[in-house]
Amino acid sequence: MTEYTDHHAPEGLRTRGTIVVVPGRGETRATYARFGRRLAADAYRVRVVDAPDSQELTGPLSGFGARLAGAVEDTATPDGVVRPVVVVGADTGAVAVAALLGQDGSPAGGRPDAVVLAGLPGPNVAARGGSWDDELDVRTSCPAHRGTLTDDSGVRRGALGTAVPEALLTAAYDSELGVPALILTGDTDPLADSEALVRAAKSQTRARLSVVRGAHHDVLNDLQHRSVAAETVTFLETLRNDLVPLIAVETSAW
């Protein structure tokens, strides 16, 4: 069984970059099929890897970093890896990615050019025990995504109740990433700490905090998934323009 799930840019279009997606607690690669297809349709090469396991989250991050670097290198064409390379992490995937960059733990394969950190859980915030429907309510209100999670036998139910190692969370929130970052959070995410996210974003040299109205913990896969994917693509495109959006928006009073 392959260790990756790949989504390719449409044939005939120049690939605009390489995206590696890292799932979070309880999730499988299939959780990000819709997100991966949408970014691929915008001519990005998307590769979804397995979520970090408990050993990667509690031990040295060098193994996780090597796995990410290998996933990137395996996308190489005869002309090399298509840049920019952007790592998208969700939940503990986001925590592990942020902590890895903060520890300067990227292996010889190289650091990514940017990161997207989605659904970062807050320090000292944990999901309460309950039914599967209760966990779904924490994750998403999107009927399609709820169905995807429910029908996937690989999804670990109750995983959101697993505590994230405190040292890893501290490293994720306190580190300088050293690359441009888009931080995505839902304003109804019960696992988020909005004040901590604001502080973390402000502490970075180049970070953009995007708060999604009405979104829950699975911010990449909630009802607002089209807008979130569009926000992600907008961020990806700014990497070619010194992080300046290519479109300036002015609105009248509503």
Side-chain angles (χ1 to χ4, degrees):
M1 184 176 179
T2 179
E3 57 185 315
Y4 309 131
T5 299
D6 289 315
H7 303 276
H8 296 274
E11 187 175 352
L13 296 183
R14 178 177 62 86
T15 302
R16 297 185 63 75
T18 302
I19 314 298
V20 176
V21 181
V22 186
R25 284 171 290 180
E27 297 176 327
T28 70
R29 299 196 304 270
T31 305
Y32 292 91
R34 180 174 64 182
F35 180 72
R37 289 193 303 266
R38 185 161 280 132
L39 295 190
D42 275 306
Y44 285 91
R45 171 76 156 85
V46 182
R47 168 162 283 180
V48 187
V49 302
D50 289 329
D53 59 28
S54 58
Q55 185 174 359
E56 289 176 320
L57 293 175
T58 57
L61 290 170
S62 55
F64 173 67
R67 183 160 69 87
L68 280 186
V72 172
E73 289 302 315
D74 284 348
T75 68
T77 68
D79 296 325
V81 174
V82 180
R83 306 198 81 93
V85 172
V86 181
V87 178
V88 178
D91 183 60
T92 48
V95 174
V97 168
L100 175 69
L101 290 181
Q103 292 179 10
D104 198 22
S106 297
R111 294 165 66 84
D113 298 300
V115 293
V116 177
L117 306 176
L120 273 169
N124 304 314
V125 180
R128 299 176 181 177
S131 67
W132 176 236
D133 282 341
D134 292 333
E135 181 171 347
L136 287 175
D137 289 342
V138 171
R139 287 185 176 277
T140 180
S141 58
C142 174
H145 186 49
R146 291 170 76 100
T148 295
L149 293 172
T150 299
D151 295 341
D152 185 351
S153 61
V155 168
R156 290 187 298 108
R157 300 189 179 194
L160 285 183
T162 304
V164 183
E166 184 176 347
L168 194 67
L169 276 171
T170 299
Y173 274 87
D174 293 350
S175 298
E176 168 58 50
L177 299 174
V179 297
L182 170 63
I183 303 173
L184 289 163
T185 185
D187 69 358
T188 61
D189 179 1
L191 302 186
D193 183 331
S194 58
E195 293 183 358
L197 285 171
V198 170
R199 288 195 299 270
K202 288 183 177 179
S203 72
Q204 300 300 317
T205 304
R206 295 170 293 175
R208 172 175 176 163
L209 174 62
S210 296
V211 180
V212 185
R213 295 174 181 170
H216 298 71
H217 186 61
D218 292 2
V219 66
L220 297 176
N221 284 307
D222 212 346
L223 277 175
Q224 306 83 353
H225 58 89
R226 293 177 180 84
S227 296
V228 171
E231 176 74 358
T232 303
V233 171
T234 296
F235 171 73
L236 297 175
E237 293 298 314
T238 66
L239 297 177
R240 298 176 177 81
N241 195 39
D242 295 327
L243 300 185
V244 177
L246 300 178
I247 298 175
V249 178
E250 295 183 9
T251 62
S252 60
W254 294 94

